[in-house]
Amino acid sequence: MAAQQSQGIQTLLEAEKEAAKVVQAARTYRVQRLKDARTEAQKEIDEYKKAKEAEFKAFESTHTGTTASAQSAVDKETGEKLKVITDAYQSHKDAVVKKLLDRVVLVKPELHRNLKKLDS
């Protein structure tokens, strides 16, 4: 009977060792799967990032020309308007200066229209 108990205990110990091995293998498998999942996720992130960067560069290249051409158009229009204003200034400055000098130099002494006559 002692031999059977000893053999039963031995069997239980072996089963416990086998269960510990199975649990350890499961833990190892789970850790490995997590590492694999992280690696795969990082690869997907990198691919997505590359695709979005390429998309952005394409967008930027198509719109950069537009910005440069818009800037040159604005510069050209500004130059034209500045030329028109300068020409108008050159053509009218003599007449404006003459009008100003006439108003300052040629004074006509008159009574102000709001001044009332005093009856004496």
Side-chain angles (χ1 to χ4, degrees), residues 58-68:
F59 176 82
E60 187 178 40
S61 67
T62 58
H63 288 80
T64 299
T66 305
T67 303

Side-chain angles (χ1 to χ4, degrees), residues 68-84:
S69 64
Q71 182 65 38
S72 65
V74 167
D75 290 343
K76 182 180 176 184
E77 184 179 342
T78 303
E80 290 171 357
K81 287 183 179 179
L82 187 60
K83 185 176 181 334
V84 168

Side-chain angles (χ1 to χ4, degrees), residues 5 14 23 27 31 42 54 63 71 96 115-116:
Q5 285 180 351
E14 286 176 11
V23 168
R27 285 183 183 154
V31 168
Q42 189 61 43
H63 288 80
Q71 182 65 38
V96 171
L115 184 62
K116 294 182 180 179

Side-chain angles (χ1 to χ4, degrees), residues 2 20-22 30-31 38 42 47 57 61 63 65 67 76 85 88 90-91 93 96 100-101 104 111 120:
K21 285 181 185 177
V22 168
R30 182 181 55 124
V31 168
R38 282 188 194 127
Q42 189 61 43
E47 289 174 8
K57 289 200 185 275
S61 67
H63 288 80
T67 303
K76 182 180 176 184
I85 291 170
Q90 291 296 333
S91 66
K93 77 176 180 180
V96 171
L100 285 173
L101 287 175
V104 171
L111 294 176
S120 7

